[in-house]
Amino acid sequence: MTIEDAGEVHIGDYVTMGPNCLLTTIAHPRSTRQRRQRLAQAKRVEIGNDVCLGAGVTVLAGVKIGDNVVVEAGAVVAQDLPANGVFAGIPAGKSMIWPMIADKCQLVV
């Protein structure tokens, strides 16, 4: 796991992350002028409780991930994810609602 922490990173309780996850707080500007001036912004990343990030997940600057969330391997989280869901893809989008899969999941302590 790699954390680029120019800004604050909050990781909740009981969070698991697969190999090669990236959390970045660095947001690069989209305008040519600002990029030429090397103006980047640091934005907080927040990961809630009981979150599972699969292998190779990238979480971009300024994102908040709610509680009880699973992010499938290889996903790119570019905007906030609400609590209680399973998300996949680039950019990450909802693939299941948590109660639909809750009975299939086991908590390993």
Side-chain angles (χ1 to χ4, degrees):
M1 175 182 62
T2 301
I3 300 176
E4 294 179 345
D5 62 346
E8 186 177 352
V9 175
H10 172 80
I11 299 174
D13 295 329
Y14 306 106
V15 172
T16 59
M17 297 183 198
N20 300 316
C21 287
L22 169 64
L23 309 179
T24 182
T25 62
I26 302 167
H28 297 284
R30 294 188 177 183
S31 86
T32 303
R33 182 183 58 76
Q34 289 179 328
R35 282 196 314 273
R36 287 180 181 173
Q37 294 173 338
R38 296 183 174 25
L39 298 177
Q41 293 181 331
K43 295 183 178 182
R44 175 184 169 99
V45 168
E46 186 173 341
I47 299 175
N49 298 319
D50 299 299
V51 171
C52 175
L53 303 180
V57 168
T58 298
V59 179
L60 300 180
V63 166
K64 179 179 180 180
I65 298 176
D67 295 339
N68 301 313
V69 167
V70 174
V71 181
E72 300 288 345
V76 175
V77 184
Q79 51 191 327
D80 293 353
L81 301 180
N84 304 314
V86 177
F87 300 86
I90 301 173
K94 186 164 261 188
S95 63
M96 283 188 198
I97 298 171
W98 190 257
M100 294 171 58
I101 64 159
D103 61 333
K104 299 176 186 172
C105 297
Q106 293 181 343
L107 177 62
V108 178
V109 181

